[in-house]
Amino acid sequence: MKTYIFFLYSCFTILLFPVHAQDKIGEISVHPIEHATFMLTWKNKLLLFDPSTDKERLNKLKSPDIIFITDIHGDHFNISSLKNVDISKSTFIVPPVVAEQLPDDLRQKAHILKNGESANIAGVKIEAIPMYNLPESADAYHTKGRGNGYVVSLGGQRVYVSGDTEDIPEMRTLKDIDLAFICMNLPYTMTIKQAAEATLAFKPRIVYPYHYRGQHGKSDIASYKQLVNEKDSSIQVIIRDWYPSKP
């Protein structure tokens, strides 16, 4: 039986994240940091996604157990940012294209996953999911097979992190997703309408719009929420500011 999921906004994150609030969802705590960068905590395990932001946002974090990187673009994979993270106990989960660009010391800490592959690291089941632009083309911002989205199983809850993608069939056919992080920024990924239609197709219990800054500013995530809830009010869309002022 699925773990009962509830939402509780808390202000106590100052103990770990001096400038960020957290959301408590079942046994998972969600810590937005900036753009594509965020952290999940679960049973004393820390999972950091796409650490590519200011030093001040990263150097106060405890050492993550697992660091996920989705793609080679600078807002997801940034060696300079990684130097500001305590990686003393971290395992990296990366696609092959990222592994090729890791320095030797970090590559030794990396577990490489291609689309469709899975692993179990420190009791966390991880599945690598495709992420790419439509229509597929060799000169797309994100070509199929290069980067990874991820489905991460934390106890009885399944978490989907889209990475940079459009509303691809592999997203639309996901099953039993409790918590999802969905990108929406032009021209790199998808419109809020595409994101809403994909969300309605795979019906996560809870969804965060994230990674929503594009060439012409931020996507209208409030309208995304409206598009989703007009057709399915059971999907909880959580709006947070993923672009806080400089620390």
Side-chain angles (χ1 to χ4, degrees):
M1 181 179 292
K2 288 287 179 185
T3 303
Y4 177 73
I5 296 179
F6 66 95
F7 169 78
L8 175 64
Y9 185 76
S10 170
C11 63
F12 295 113
T13 314
I14 192 168
L15 298 175
L16 180 61
F17 290 81
V19 294
H20 303 292
Q22 73 171 350
D23 294 330
K24 184 74 173 176
I25 298 171
E27 296 182 321
I28 300 171
S29 293
V30 179
H31 311 266
I33 299 178
E34 185 185 21
H35 189 56
T37 305
F38 67 99
M39 199 170 209
L40 302 179
T41 61
W42 172 75
K43 290 188 174 181
N44 297 318
K45 288 185 171 59
L46 308 181
L47 284 61
L48 180 62
F49 291 82
D50 285 338
S52 183
T53 186
D54 298 328
K55 174 180 178 180
E56 292 79 5
R57 301 191 195 282
L58 296 174
N59 63 8
K60 292 182 175 64
L61 305 183
K62 293 182 179 179
S63 182
D65 295 277
I66 307 175
I67 296 175
F68 296 81
I69 299 176
T70 59
D71 197 19
I72 56 174
H73 288 161
D75 56 340
H76 300 270
F77 174 48
N78 187 309
I79 293 295
S80 295
S81 291
L82 285 173
K83 291 178 179 178
N84 297 313
V85 180
D86 176 2
I87 61 169
S88 57
K89 68 172 188 175
S90 303
T91 298
F92 286 78
I93 303 295
V94 301
V97 68
V98 170
E100 292 170 2
Q101 299 186 26
L102 286 172
D104 289 342
D105 60 330
L106 298 187
R107 193 179 302 119
Q108 293 174 7
K109 299 170 71 68
H111 192 104
I112 303 169
L113 292 181
K114 298 177 182 178
N115 289 176
E117 293 183 337
S118 61
N120 194 307
I121 306 294
V124 177
K125 183 181 178 182
I126 302 160
E127 304 166 63
I129 306 297
M131 45 153 275
Y132 56 94
N133 291 120
L134 296 171
E136 294 182 52
S137 67
D139 61 351
Y141 290 110
H142 309 94
T143 53
K144 188 174 183 179
R146 188 184 77 198
N148 289 334
Y150 295 104
V151 171
V152 181
S153 296
L154 302 174
Q157 298 182 74
R158 282 165 49 85
V159 181
Y160 170 57
V161 179
S162 73
D164 282 5
T165 190
E166 292 194 48
D167 53 335
I168 57 175
E170 294 90 341
M171 181 198 298
R172 286 174 169 263
T173 56
L174 288 169
K175 302 294 184 185
D176 300 322
I177 299 298
D178 297 296
L179 174 60
F181 296 84
I182 304 296
C183 66
M184 52 196 77
N185 64 329
L186 293 177
Y188 309 110
T189 61
M190 55 183 161
T191 66
I192 59 169
K193 182 178 179 182
Q194 288 175 294
E197 290 175 350
T199 301
L200 289 163
F202 75 94
K203 297 183 182 300
R205 293 172 184 260
I206 298 173
V207 60
Y208 283 79
Y210 87 130
H211 193 287
Y212 54 83
R213 180 179 58 203
Q215 279 188 356
H216 304 292
K218 299 172 187 175
S219 297
D220 186 353
I221 56 175
S223 292
Y224 161 79
K225 174 181 172 68
Q226 182 178 355
L227 288 170
V228 170
N229 288 150
E230 281 177 347
K231 293 188 177 180
D232 191 338
S233 60
S234 71
I235 298 173
Q236 184 175 4
V237 181
I238 299 179
I239 301 294
R240 291 288 174 261
D241 181 8
W242 291 74
Y243 304 94
S245 59
K246 293 293 182 181

